[in-house]
Amino acid sequence: MKSAVGSVKNNTLSIVLSDFKEITKAKLAVSVVFSSIAGYFLGAYQVDLVSLLLLMFGGYCMVGASNAYNQIIEKDLDALMKRTRNRPIPSGRMSVRTALIIAVTLTVLGVLALLALSPKTAMFGAISIFLYTSVYTPLKTKSPLAVFVGAFPGAIPFMLGWVAATDDFGIEPGTLFMIQFFWQFPHFWALGWMLDEDYKQAGFKMLPTGNKDKGTALQIILYTIWMIVISIVPVFGFTGRLHLSIPAAVIVLLSGLVMLFFAFKLYENRDNASARKLMLASVTYISLIQVVYVLDKFIS
């Protein structure tokens, strides 16, 4: 009997943990925290473990809160799409009240953790939540400009790490912001291309032309080119303490050209398989260049 009760408790705990991870989009949150850590290492004169832990905790809380608010707002729309109908709220496993408690708690904890680093860090974290939940989320059913608006909170994490390390906002974190800002367009439009039919079930307008056509593919190519240009700008010495050595810049450039190749393949084929390859290439690109930037700082 005790064994059965213990098994039920463990099973329940597992479901609760799984739903928490899903309501906060744990994988996405971890990738965002990774960007913040990279920014922190780039900005820091010396690494402070407590500050780094506060950034990681606060960053996860802020992203998790944004995702929880998003799923509360879009609960009825999530129920219409195959990929989201089994999320905690539309599936009925979690009430809106519980999700709201999680979102508010994470918001408070996240702001406090980032405030312990600096007021600027907390301000940018709060701005990201506001833009994501109050502007980007409702705009998704109104206009393709939602992706443009969503690129602002999405570009904050890389920059946030630098601000957390230095308590300063200048050309260096501004450059990190621009890199991740331009990266998001090919990344999310590739994802939007793959999920276009599902998105349309919920009325989401994610592609710039509204269709999986040459116009959308051409814009993906153009934004990818801008992303590459911004990513190698630090090699020219115009960006303060943020700089790249020539070997590192070559690696960043080649990585960007690989991504651009897949963007052209999408323009040529205009199919989901090409969009998926581009999306995966974009994920690899942003992680790789962040590692390259950090290693280059400490090696060169």
Side-chain angles (χ1 to χ4, degrees):
M1 184 68 177
K2 286 183 179 179
S3 177
V5 171
S7 178
V8 169
K9 285 184 177 179
N10 288 337
N11 197 35
T12 301
L13 182 61
S14 177
I15 293 171
V16 169
L17 181 60
S18 176
D19 283 346
F20 177 81
K21 288 165 63 178
E22 193 160 1
I23 201 75
T24 60
K25 292 187 182 177
K27 289 181 180 179
L28 173 62
V30 169
S31 70
V32 171
V33 169
F34 180 84
S35 292
S36 297
I37 293 171
Y40 178 88
F41 278 117
L42 288 172
Y45 291 98
Q46 65 179 56
V47 176
D48 178 70
L49 183 58
V50 174
S51 295
L52 192 57
L53 290 174
L54 283 170
L55 177 64
M56 292 167 64
F57 177 74
Y60 188 99
C61 286
M62 300 302 263
V63 179
S66 296
N67 289 323
Y69 287 127
N70 173 266
Q71 291 182 52
I72 292 168
I73 296 167
E74 294 182 349
K75 63 184 188 303
D76 295 329
L77 299 178
D78 281 348
L80 301 175
M81 296 186 290
K82 289 180 182 178
R83 78 182 181 92
T84 55
R85 63 179 53 153
N86 197 44
R87 282 177 173 173
I89 301 176
S91 68
R93 296 194 308 274
M94 182 182 292
S95 68
V96 171
R97 183 175 180 273
T98 298
L100 188 58
I101 290 172
I102 291 172
V104 172
T105 301
L106 289 176
T107 302
V108 173
L109 291 176
V111 169
L112 289 176
L114 297 182
L115 188 60
L117 290 169
S118 76
K120 283 191 183 76
T121 310
M123 178 190 71
F124 283 120
I127 287 172
S128 71
I129 287 186
F130 173 77
L131 288 175
Y132 190 86
T133 60
S134 301
V135 185
Y136 165 72
T137 295
L139 195 59
K140 285 162 68 178
T141 57
K142 307 296 182 185
S143 169
L145 283 173
V147 174
F148 175 78
V149 173
F152 283 89
I156 285 176
F158 201 13
M159 171 199 82
L160 190 72
W162 185 290
V163 175
T166 64
D167 192 26
D168 181 53
F169 182 82
I171 191 168
E172 299 95 342
T175 303
L176 298 180
F177 176 90
M178 294 303 291
I179 292 170
Q180 202 151 9
F181 179 80
F182 281 108
W183 167 81
Q184 286 180 88
F185 292 94
H187 173 72
F188 281 107
W189 282 336
L191 185 62
W193 189 296
M194 292 165 52
L195 302 173
D196 186 55
E197 290 77 13
D198 213 19
Y199 277 141
K200 283 179 177 175
Q201 291 292 320
F204 290 147
K205 305 177 188 297
M206 303 302 289
L207 297 179
T209 67
N211 296 296
K212 296 155 64 168
D213 56 18
K214 281 192 172 184
T216 288
L218 180 60
Q219 291 201 47
I220 288 173
I221 289 171
L222 293 175
Y223 277 92
T224 302
I225 291 171
W226 274 112
M227 176 201 74
I228 294 169
V229 171
I230 296 297
S231 295
I232 62 171
V233 161
V235 77
F236 299 106
F238 303 143
T239 51
R241 287 203 300 121
L242 179 67
H243 58 81
L244 276 180
S245 66
I246 292 176
V250 170
I251 295 172
V252 170
L253 175 60
L254 291 176
S255 302
L257 291 177
V258 169
M259 192 169 152
L260 185 61
F261 168 80
F262 286 112
F264 273 107
K265 293 300 289 185
L266 178 60
Y267 182 85
E268 178 185 348
N269 299 325
R270 297 191 300 283
D271 59 8
N272 285 357
S274 298
R276 177 175 173 77
K277 289 175 182 177
L278 173 59
M279 189 273 292
L280 293 174
S282 70
V283 172
T284 302
Y285 174 83
I286 197 65
S287 301
L288 176 63
I289 70 158
Q290 287 170 350
V291 170
V292 169
Y293 263 74
V294 172
L295 289 179
D296 189 56
K297 173 188 174 179
F298 290 100
I299 292 174
S300 63

